[in-house]
Amino acid sequence: MGSFVSQPLEPVKDVAPPDVASSAAPPEVASSANPVPVIAPGGPAPPAEAPLFNNCWSCRVLSGSGLIGAGGYVYWVARKPMKLGYPPGPGTIAQMVFGISIACWGVVILSDPKGKGFRTG
């Protein structure tokens, strides 16, 4: 499920048709939605896919600063009526907490250098 925009771009590999005489099983059909991987026997395994997040500095700066800005805006909109003298209700407090948590998420994305904060092994 999903669109083509959310999936990484990969070239479609053409698969050579198998010899009919060498195999009695029906041949596998490759389609654009379900490509058949071509792996030589005894060859090296394909490399693991890189994580979608934390893969480049500019991506982290853009997304982290965007989240900090969005969190600041959500917090600022919740604080606005309080500055006018209205007492805060539970919804206003929840909106402020949500804004702070969005901004903290942006700080985490900015400060975690390529997932080095996670232990492997």
Side-chain angles (χ1 to χ4, degrees), residues 37-54:
V38 178
I39 299 175
E49 292 184 24
L52 294 177
F53 297 111
N54 299 337

Side-chain angles (χ1 to χ4, degrees), residues 1 7 10 12 17 22 26 29 36 38 43 53 55-56 58 63 68 73 75 84 89 99-101 105 108-109 113 120:
M1 267 204 240
Q7 299 173 357
E10 293 180 10
V12 177
S22 66
V29 178
V36 176
V38 178
F53 297 111
N55 54 358
C56 65
S58 61
S63 60
I68 290 172
Y73 177 76
Y75 180 82
L84 296 174
I100 291 170
S101 63
W105 186 19
V108 167
I109 287 178
T120 56

Side-chain angles (χ1 to χ4, degrees), residues 90-108:
T92 306
I93 302 297
Q95 186 176 358
M96 291 171 63
V97 169
F98 188 69
I100 291 170
S101 63
I102 290 173
C104 289
W105 186 19
V107 170
V108 167

